[in-house]
Amino acid sequence: MADFKLHCFAQSGNAYKVAMMLDLTGSAWEPVFVDYFVGQTRDPAWRAEVSEMGEVPVLEHRGERLTQSGMILDALAEITGRFGGRDARERREIWRWILFDNHKFTSYFATHRWLRTFAEPKGHPEVMAFLAGRISNNLGIVERHLKDRPFLLGDRPTIADLSLAGYLFYPVEETGYDLDTTHPAIAAWADRISELPGWRAPYEAMPARAAVAA
Ligand SMILES: N[C@@H](CCC(=O)N[C@@H](CS)C(=O)NCC(=O)O)C(=O)O
């Protein structure tokens, strides 16, 4: 029987951060498909029952419902004893990167991908240009940081890596970013994460329906 139930859909990189952690820790988990593309997360009944914030991921564990990927990753690090900080300094460093990720790294990258690939109508060119500028700056920051260390905190992967990498395993046709060409340190880091035992790509780990205009 599954210890964890993850409310998710495969196109969600935020849900994927948690799916990746569950896979890498060898946790017994099962997905609960959320039909985002027909508006399930905007359904008042779903919000009342599953998440008042109207977002996945939602993780069910022992009668508790956890939301917000960063907080869920932190809880899973505590529950599994894996990928967390070993001392207070490391725990602060992890949160520093998760906050940067949620505010800037994932948020602009995911919004850009959404407006480019799934939204109808597609994003206005001026909006896309604004997002591209922010993404370029943020990718540059992470690229520089990873030039001389294999993972964000150094030699060992942590939940900070899983948070920031959440959207980097989707096809280039979806994201519009070929990081192998433009950001080699980030691409090598993503490869290192994908080589960890138990890793699966987003469309293998979580259920999907073909995207339709939401
Ligand atoms: N800060 C949140 C972001 C979660 C989020 O944006 N989830 C998206 C899917 S990737 C969602 O469920 N959106 C639902 C909606 O906008 O209706 C986290 O990290 O968990």
Side-chain angles (χ1 to χ4, degrees):
M1 197 185 132
D3 286 336
F4 299 94
K5 285 187 182 177
L6 177 63
H7 297 251
C8 61
F9 58 95
Q11 286 90 349
S12 167
N14 285 307
Y16 178 58
K17 297 169 185 184
V18 178
M20 199 167 21
M21 176 70 174
L22 291 166
D23 277 348
L24 295 180
T25 53
S27 300
W29 71 280
E30 65 186 33
V32 178
F33 178 57
V34 176
D35 211 345
Y36 172 83
F37 288 100
V38 297
Q40 194 173 349
T41 53
R42 290 186 290 285
D43 173 10
W46 189 86
R47 290 189 172 190
E49 194 189 326
V50 183
S51 171
E52 64 179 343
M53 292 179 186
E55 296 175 330
V56 299
V58 177
L59 187 70
E60 288 187 50
H61 179 59
R62 298 192 176 167
E64 209 182 341
R65 282 217 172 99
L66 307 174
T67 69
Q68 293 300 324
S69 62
M71 204 282 290
I72 299 172
L73 289 172
D74 187 62
L76 285 173
E78 190 184 311
I79 292 165
T80 65
R82 306 275 312 279
F83 300 107
R86 288 171 299 198
D87 55 29
R89 193 201 61 80
E90 281 195 358
R91 285 191 285 277
R92 281 196 295 274
E93 187 62 2
I94 284 171
W95 271 106
R96 194 170 75 93
W97 282 106
I98 288 179
L99 291 169
F100 172 74
D101 178 48
N102 275 229
H103 179 50
K104 290 191 167 168
F105 193 75
T106 278
S107 56
Y108 293 120
F109 196 85
T111 304
H112 181 274
R113 167 174 167 262
W114 168 259
L115 291 174
R116 175 184 197 276
T117 301
F118 299 118
E120 210 50 67
K122 302 284 181 256
H124 188 284
E126 283 182 23
V127 173
M128 299 307 277
F130 167 78
L131 292 172
R134 306 295 294 201
I135 292 166
S136 165
N137 178 60
N138 298 332
L139 285 171
I141 289 167
V142 177
E143 176 75 10
R144 276 189 295 282
H145 186 79
L146 289 169
K147 276 233 154 69
D148 52 7
R149 40 175 86 71
F151 296 102
L152 290 168
L153 266 71
D155 289 340
R156 177 178 81 85
T158 68
I159 53 173
D161 298 284
L162 305 188
S163 188
L164 273 88
Y167 278 82
L168 303 186
F169 299 105
Y170 288 99
V172 173
E173 302 76 54
E174 284 184 13
T175 64
Y177 283 88
D178 180 6
L179 300 173
D180 284 334
T181 310
T182 56
H183 294 79
I186 291 179
W189 166 67
D191 284 348
R192 279 191 286 279
I193 293 173
S194 73
E195 285 157 10
L196 295 171
W199 183 90
R200 289 184 292 172
Y203 288 109
E204 286 172 59
M206 298 180 293
R209 78 145 64 205
V212 293

